[in-house]
């Protein structure tokens, strides 16, 4: 009997695993899909090495996990609007994602997951940090958990994307989500505010809201909740935006780091 068993190697006890034994450019068998899905639910971000993807296989991989989302802040490729280029070189003035965030939480229905494929990486540097929002939530005191439970916060795309758009008429989404989110598959609770998109907690005065948000951002930066991924050419990272945040480190200027991302649809945060 043939099996499609994959090897899943955890990178820390809290977050992150590398997966070996699958060619993601080919359609996944049911067994492969289930193992990858289970690993994503358990480890929150999963990594693959030595992959060779074109845009069609990248989109097919994303579609195996849900509908693809058109990015609401950044234009996709002309022929593949669901695919966004992630590129930095000696002419770059900024890079995507170098502040801690979960993708597109400004959307009314933020994405479930994102799949980033990087065929070109710098000689050194250009790592991505991922933080477990389950671990961050679990480490809060019971009194703080009680206080945050039931609060909602505003997530705005305007200040994130306005500086990088040439279209003065473009409007960016702004949405309100629970501060503590229950994951729809695992049932676990996680912190769901981030310093890129979240602007205020509803119902609190500005000083109070700023203080609570700053506390939460600082709390989430505790490296006990993190995994750091060192890219190689052909690596793929697939993260669950519902329970993680990430930050791309831009420490390789003027070298080139280049690839593509697809984003998989999620559900309204509860
Ligand atoms: C992103 O936020 O999607 C970019 C992550 C990265 O470039 O590592």
């Amino acid at each position: 009997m043939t099996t499609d068993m994959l090897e899943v190697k955890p990178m820390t006890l809290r977050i992150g695993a590398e997966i070996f034994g699958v060619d993601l450019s080919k359609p996944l068998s049911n067994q492969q899909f289930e193992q990858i899905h289970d690993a994503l639910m358990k480890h929150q971000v999963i990594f693959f090495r030595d992959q060779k993807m074109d845009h069609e296989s990248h989109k097919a991989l994303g579609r195996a996990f849900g509908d693809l989302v058109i990015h609401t802040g950044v234009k996709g490729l002309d022929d593949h609007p669901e695919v966004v280029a992630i590129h930095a070189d000696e002419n770059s003035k900024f890079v995507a994602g170098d502040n801690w965030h979960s993708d597109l939480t400004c959307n009314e229905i933020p994405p479930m997951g994102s799949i980033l494929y990087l065929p070109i990486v710098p000689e050194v540097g250009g790592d991505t940090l991922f933080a477990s929002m389950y671990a961050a939530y679990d480490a809060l005191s019971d009194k703080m958990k009680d206080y945050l439970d039931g609060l909602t916060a505003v997530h705005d795309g305007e200040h994130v994307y306005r500086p990088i758009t040439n279209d003065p008429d473009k409007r960016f989404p702004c949405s309100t989500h629970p501060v503590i989110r229950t994951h729809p598959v695992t049932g676990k609770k996680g912190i769901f505010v981030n310093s890129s998109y979240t602007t205020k907690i509803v119902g609190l005065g500005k000083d109070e809201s700023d203080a609570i948000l700053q506390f939460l951002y600082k709390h989430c930066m505790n490296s006990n909740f993190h995994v750091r991924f060192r890219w190689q050419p052909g690596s793929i990272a697939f993260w669950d935006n519902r329970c993680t945040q990430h930050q791309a480190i831009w420490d390789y200027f003027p070298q080139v780091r280049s690839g593509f991302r697809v984003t998989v649809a999620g559900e309204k945060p509860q």
Side-chain angles (χ1 to χ4, degrees):
M1 190 179 103
T2 58
T3 67
D4 289 325
M5 284 308 290
L6 308 183
E7 187 185 2
V8 180
K9 279 194 182 166
M11 295 165 72
T12 79
L13 281 183
R14 296 194 172 111
I15 179 170
E18 284 194 289
I19 300 192
F20 300 92
V22 60
D23 176 355
L24 295 175
S25 70
K26 304 218 167 85
L28 298 176
S29 68
N30 289 343
Q31 199 180 11
Q32 288 171 327
F33 171 81
E34 274 169 30
Q35 290 171 84
I36 292 172
H37 182 264
D38 290 353
L40 182 64
M41 294 305 105
K42 181 167 178 193
H43 300 286
Q44 307 142 63
V45 55
I46 50 179
F47 306 102
F48 304 85
R49 299 288 186 188
D50 302 320
Q51 301 292 323
K52 223 171 171 45
M53 308 291 279
D54 58 19
H55 299 320
E56 289 303 342
S57 52
H58 197 173
K59 289 195 295 185
L61 174 64
R63 284 197 181 109
F65 292 85
D67 292 337
L68 297 184
V69 174
I70 304 280
H71 201 293
T72 47
V74 176
K75 193 175 170 312
L77 304 183
D78 285 342
D79 295 342
H80 301 273
E82 311 91 336
V83 181
V84 168
I86 300 286
H87 179 89
D89 60 26
E90 77 277 11
N91 299 313
S92 299
K93 301 279 182 286
F94 62 88
V95 298
D98 66 339
N99 290 317
W100 280 102
H101 65 289
S102 170
D103 290 328
L104 291 170
T105 59
C106 55
N107 288 5
E108 192 188 349
I109 304 193
M112 171 284 249
S114 305
I115 305 176
L116 178 60
Y117 167 59
L118 291 186
I120 301 172
V121 300
E123 271 164 43
V124 288
D127 297 355
T128 309
L129 298 175
F130 293 87
S132 167
M133 293 301 103
Y134 295 151
Y137 175 78
D138 290 346
L140 294 171
S141 68
D142 287 344
K143 285 201 185 308
M144 182 55 84
K145 287 178 184 162
D146 285 347
Y147 174 71
L148 297 174
D149 222 5
L151 291 178
T152 58
V154 175
H155 297 240
D156 199 347
E158 171 69 23
H159 62 276
V160 179
Y161 298 114
R162 181 64 56 202
I164 56 170
T165 184
N166 297 321
D167 177 359
D169 296 328
K170 177 122 173 96
R171 292 287 162 265
F172 300 102
C174 181
S175 306
T176 300
H177 302 304
V179 170
I180 303 302
R181 178 177 189 175
T182 302
H183 194 285
V185 178
T186 65
K188 291 189 198 167
K189 288 185 176 184
I191 294 172
F192 197 65
V193 290
N194 64 82
S195 57
S196 293
Y197 293 104
T198 313
T199 51
K200 64 174 180 175
I201 298 181
V202 176
L204 303 188
K206 181 172 174 1
D207 286 352
E208 219 178 358
S209 166
D210 287 351
I212 296 291
L213 287 175
Q214 288 309 319
F215 160 72
L216 289 172
Y217 300 154
K218 182 162 177 270
H219 175 74
C220 292
M221 294 317 93
N222 183 332
S223 40
N224 282 334
F225 314 145
H226 297 177
V227 66
R228 182 173 183 131
F229 184 58
R230 177 138 304 169
W231 294 86
Q232 294 166 355
S235 298
I236 286 182
F238 184 177
W239 58 90
D240 185 337
N241 284 299
R242 301 169 295 189
C243 54
T244 62
Q245 292 190 31
H246 58 281
Q247 180 188 36
I249 309 291
W250 193 20
D251 55 359
Y252 52 89
F253 180 87
Q255 292 197 2
V256 180
R257 180 180 185 271
S258 194
F260 301 96
R261 200 186 92 184
V262 298
T263 312
V264 182
E267 56 289 295
K268 204 164 167 43
Q270 302 294 333

